[in-house]
Each structure stands twice: as C-alpha cells, then as structure tokens.
Amino acid sequence: MEEVDVAILGGGISGLQAARLLHRDYSVRVLEARDRVGGRLLNHVFANGDTVDLGGQWLGPGQERMYRLVEELGAVTWPLHDEGDNLLFLDRGARRYRGTVPRINPFAMVDLGMAMARFEKMARSIDPSTPWAHRQAAHWDGMTLQTWIRQNCRTRTARRLFAVAVGAVFAAEPGDISLLHALFYARSGDSLEKLLAVTGGAQQDRVRGGTAGLCERMAAELGPSVRLNSPVESISRTADQRLQVHYRGGAILCRRLIIAIPPNQALRIRFEPELPAWRDQALQRMPAGACIKCIARYDRPFWRDSQLSGQVTSTRGPVRVTFDNSEPGRDSGLLMGFLEGDAARHYSAMAPDERRQVVLDCFAGFFGERARSPEEYIDKDWSSEPWTRGCYAAYFPPGAWTRHGERLRDPNGNIHWAGTEFATRWYGYMEGALESAERAVREVKWMMLPAGAEHV
C-alpha cells in the first residue's frame, strides 16, 4: 500500500492549493473523483475558440489571495463589461438604471433602501469567525431570511427585489436560509452591496482562459501527486492512528488527511470508526444551493448598440439575472444568465432542449428577438453534476450555525476540513476556498512537528 504524509480529498482550488503549500516539505497525494481537476470550476470552449466559465468565475477587491494566485500562475484578469444602462423588469415593461440599486417607485425605493441599510448594519456587527457568538445569534438563527424580509419590507416590490438579490448571491430561496447565515455570508464578503456589485464588487474581474485553467496549472505543478478518477469510498483508522484511504482502484496510508470536497459529498464516504455524531449532523445541515448557469454566444454583443450593459434584474423569471460575459478582443457577444433556487430545481428536471428554449425566451424578452437565435448555447446544471450536486456553495438553514458552528472548522483527530464552506472570509467564493486551505495546512504542519519541537 502506498504511504504518504498527507492525503487530500478533492482536486478543486482548495485541495490543490493545500497540496501546493505542503508538497515541498511532505509527501502528498490529491485524490480527485472526476476525470479533471477544478471541482466547481469548469471551462467550456465554444466552436469559435471563446472560452467561458461554466462554474465560478469572478474576483473582486478584497480577494487578495486570488489575485496573488493568478499572478503566481502567470495568468491575467480582465474586468467584466460594466458600461451602459442596466435593465429592470418588474410587472410592466423595462426600466433603465445605472449602479447596483435600480430606480423604482419612490415608496418602494425608500422601503428597499431602508431594509438594505438595516441588513448591512446587522451584518457589520457580526464577527465572521464566530457568528454563533453574537448576542443576537439565537434569535437571528431561529428565523429564515424570508421571515426577516417580510417583517422589514413593507412593499411587494421591495420584497421581490430583495428575493432576486438573495437568489443571485446564494442560489437559494429566502425561505431556505437562516437570517444569521445570510448576515454572516454578507459580512464575510464585506457587505451585501459588495457581493451584488460589478465594478468595485465581487463580480468585477474574470481570469483570461477561465478559472479552471488556474487549477490545471496548479495540478501541472504537482505532477503525479494528483490522481484523477479516484473517488474515495471509505476511510479507516489503523492501530497506530494513521488513516487508510480506500478509493476506487487502490488505497493510501497517510498520517494526515484534508477533506476538501463539498459537505454533501463527504456524507458519501464511509468512516471506520464513524465520524463524531455532531460532525455528521453538521454536514447534514449544509445543503448545497441550486444553480444552472446558461451562456448564449452571438456573433457580436448587439445589446451594446442600444447602450445596454447586458445586466438585467428581473422579478418575472425564471432567468432573473444576466451579465455580458463577452471577452475583450473577441468579436462574439456572450450573454450569461442564471436559473437559481426553485427555478433551478424545477428546470433541472426539464429536457435540455426545452430548458434552452425557456432561457432564450427570457433573453429575447430582455433584449429582443435577436437574442432568441444564438450561434451556440451551453448550460450547466450543477445540481446534476456528479461529485458536486449543487452550487454555488452550501447554505445554513435555521439552527445550523448556533448548533454546529463552533466546532465546524475543528479537525477530527488527524482529519482536517477545507473548502469554501469552511472559510471565515469570502465564504462561497474561490477566495474563501484558498483561505480554508491555508488554515488546514497550518493545522497539519503544527501536528506534524516532531515531539519536543518548538511550535513557532
């Protein structure tokens, strides 16, 4: 049986970064279930050569680890197109606006503005490293975000727009999420407004060649330390407290293990002895969001002829948010939209051709009949993706943070936890995945020091 110092489950950006930080000092193996690295990062190349991200794609101010990684790997970023008027679709017609918050009925606008300000003030009071310790944690964790919206938005328009924002950020419905989790999530990325914004916000930049290309470069650095098509089936503990990691086709004996896969996927693994009951219960209470990412390629970004940015906010659905995903220097126009939450769950069961038509009907409703006939179309249903089963990240329903949060990031003996769901900053983002990798590596290095060595 092969023996290594550290085994890492998951060849996404978190697991690969953990391996990069360890492999110069320790023997490391990354076990990835898929036939590719990248996890929730995935590229698609259209027939004309345009590369698009079907998974996570955005970077923004405050995500220093991601920008540093891009530089280290010799990649470059470019800004998402953010020029022209955005469109808002409510009950009647379309309205043009600039910025993050659309212009609406004055009463609804004041209502929405006051609710957003109240939410942001509450979020700023939370320490994202210990959200369960807040003096209002039990109260906030005892209600859904939907309950809070109903209590704090007096107008139907404000409630509907807040719900669209929730779908865009969480890929879930307001009734799915604990208010405490929503506040923590916003605080972990500085503010809800920042998470929604393009220029100056979380959607500001993209990586040329796609974010999955970063993972491919990381894996190339690690060489044979990365093993694909190796889903882990069971983990058992030996008499000398090492771990036997049994995967399809083999087994590895290791001193330390980092689990860097989505929480719902960790539940598929058989542990002997079993994980502590509290850990299993915590993982059960971390369901994944639901998202289908849809991209249509046109011969050019024709919406710009009308001074439109390509950004839409719509309460009509099922596509409620769109962006201009075109790459500078290329002729094509790429229009991207999302099916999220209940819409993603509903249309996941639909045949791909039917779903395509529904999405293009939405695009045509936003930008005219020309949008109904792209040269190419692709979508990615992340809830149906093996070894992921949901995106963007896990969310916490009521009660989960206050019952399980305090020990969530703690190791279980020589088993350590990484991935964006175990981050304190930029939870749900690639930046959070890198932060959690660094924390798991610190734990491993600390525990790997020989007895009597000075812990610096």
Side-chain angles (χ1 to χ4, degrees):
M1 182 182 300
E2 181 182 15
E3 298 185 20
V4 297
D5 293 321
V6 185
I8 299 171
L9 274 57
I13 196 168
S14 187
L16 292 172
Q17 180 68 351
R20 290 178 78 230
L21 296 174
L22 287 166
H23 84 285
R24 290 184 178 85
D25 300 313
Y26 304 96
S27 56
V28 175
R29 288 292 179 275
V30 177
L31 298 175
E32 168 55 51
R34 300 175 177 85
D35 61 0
R36 62 172 180 85
V37 294
R40 285 171 273 189
L41 310 182
L42 176 64
N43 288 352
H44 173 76
V45 181
F46 283 118
N48 72 331
D50 284 358
T51 299
V52 293
D53 296 284
L54 291 181
Q57 69 174 47
W58 282 309
L59 293 72
Q63 299 183 16
E64 289 86 2
R65 292 178 179 84
M66 274 302 300
Y67 284 108
R68 190 162 56 245
L69 180 65
V70 168
E71 183 177 0
E72 287 174 4
L73 296 174
V76 295
T77 62
W78 49 273
L80 186 78
H81 182 76
D82 194 28
E83 298 176 5
D85 293 335
N86 305 333
L87 291 176
L88 169 67
F89 286 83
L90 289 171
D91 295 323
R92 302 176 189 171
R95 304 181 188 187
R96 291 176 177 244
Y97 71 97
R98 297 286 179 104
T100 304
V101 180
R103 292 183 179 181
I104 51 178
N105 173 303
F107 295 105
M109 191 162 187
V110 170
D111 186 25
L112 180 61
M114 291 179 64
M116 290 282 287
R118 194 173 298 122
F119 182 94
E120 298 284 30
K121 182 178 180 180
M122 294 163 63
R124 285 194 299 272
S125 71
I126 288 179
D127 181 345
S129 64
T130 57
W132 59 84
H134 192 280
R135 64 184 183 281
Q136 292 289 326
H139 177 58
W140 291 345
D141 206 31
M143 72 172 77
T144 65
L145 179 54
Q146 181 174 350
T147 297
W148 185 88
I149 291 172
R150 286 175 175 170
Q151 292 175 350
N152 288 270
C153 293
R154 297 178 180 272
T155 62
R156 179 170 176 265
T157 296
R159 289 194 293 271
R160 292 170 73 191
L161 287 173
F162 212 123
V164 171
V166 170
V169 171
F170 297 96
E173 300 298 323
D176 296 331
I177 306 166
S178 152
L179 172 60
L180 180 63
H181 180 67
L183 295 168
F184 153 77
Y185 196 108
R187 184 70 183 94
S188 78
D190 291 342
S191 69
L192 181 59
E193 183 177 2
K194 190 168 186 177
L195 297 184
L196 292 167
V198 176
T199 302
Q203 283 72 236
Q204 177 175 285
D205 294 318
R206 292 184 57 198
V207 177
R208 192 174 295 276
T211 54
L214 300 178
C215 292
E216 292 165 2
R217 297 182 193 196
M218 297 164 82
E221 286 184 7
L222 296 165
S225 296
V226 178
R227 191 159 295 167
L228 303 178
N229 299 303
S230 301
V232 171
E233 298 166 343
S234 67
I235 298 167
S236 58
R237 195 175 297 278
T238 64
D240 62 357
Q241 295 304 299
R242 288 187 292 175
L243 297 167
Q244 284 187 356
V245 181
H246 302 267
Y247 62 93
R248 190 181 300 165
I252 288 178
L253 190 66
C254 62
R255 296 167 62 192
R256 293 272 150 189
L257 174 68
I258 297 175
I259 298 180
I261 58 179
N264 61 8
Q265 297 305 299
L267 291 168
R268 292 186 173 194
I269 300 170
R270 184 174 70 255
F271 291 85
E272 300 174 4
E274 295 179 350
L275 290 171
W278 69 264
R279 171 65 71 184
D280 199 81
Q281 289 282 305
L283 294 173
Q284 292 178 46
R285 285 163 174 77
M286 299 175 70
C291 172
I292 304 175
K293 189 174 184 179
C294 315
I295 304 172
R297 184 180 74 81
Y298 304 90
D299 61 342
R300 64 188 187 85
F302 61 87
W303 49 89
R304 297 182 190 176
D305 297 343
S306 302
Q307 288 74 54
L308 293 175
S309 67
Q311 295 173 40
V312 168
T313 299
S314 173
T315 60
R316 298 176 184 176
V319 176
R320 298 192 293 182
V321 177
T322 71
F323 293 92
D324 181 337
N325 230 30
S326 311
E327 183 173 349
R330 305 286 294 186
D331 293 332
S332 295
L334 303 179
L335 193 60
M336 179 183 67
F338 292 97
L339 299 170
E340 299 153 327
D342 285 345
R345 288 185 275 265
H346 176 77
Y347 289 100
S348 177
M350 184 175 283
D353 286 346
E354 295 179 65
R355 185 169 66 229
R356 176 184 187 275
Q357 193 58 54
V358 167
V359 171
L360 294 179
D361 286 346
C362 287
F363 287 180
F366 300 152
F367 299 106
E369 284 301 308
R370 186 169 179 179
R372 202 183 300 277
S373 303
E375 296 191 350
E376 293 183 81
Y377 172 90
I378 184 74
D379 67 28
K380 183 64 178 178
D381 177 7
W382 283 96
S383 297
S384 298
E385 169 76 359
W387 314 114
T388 305
R389 310 298 284 182
C391 254
Y392 316 125
Y395 61 83
F396 285 58
W401 267 117
T402 47
R403 291 189 178 100
H404 305 292
E406 187 170 2
R407 293 181 289 184
L408 181 68
R409 304 176 188 111
D410 291 350
N412 296 114
N414 49 356
I415 299 175
H416 306 262
W417 299 86
T420 193
E421 285 86 0
F422 298 90
T424 61
R425 294 282 297 165
W426 292 101
Y427 180 107
Y429 291 79
M430 293 178 284
E431 177 75 10
L434 297 182
E435 185 221 65
S436 71
E438 291 177 5
R439 189 255 311 141
V441 166
R442 286 195 301 270
E443 294 171 356
V444 166
K445 288 185 173 181
W446 178 274
M447 300 304 294
M448 295 278 277
L449 283 173
E454 183 180 356
H455 288 62
V456 180

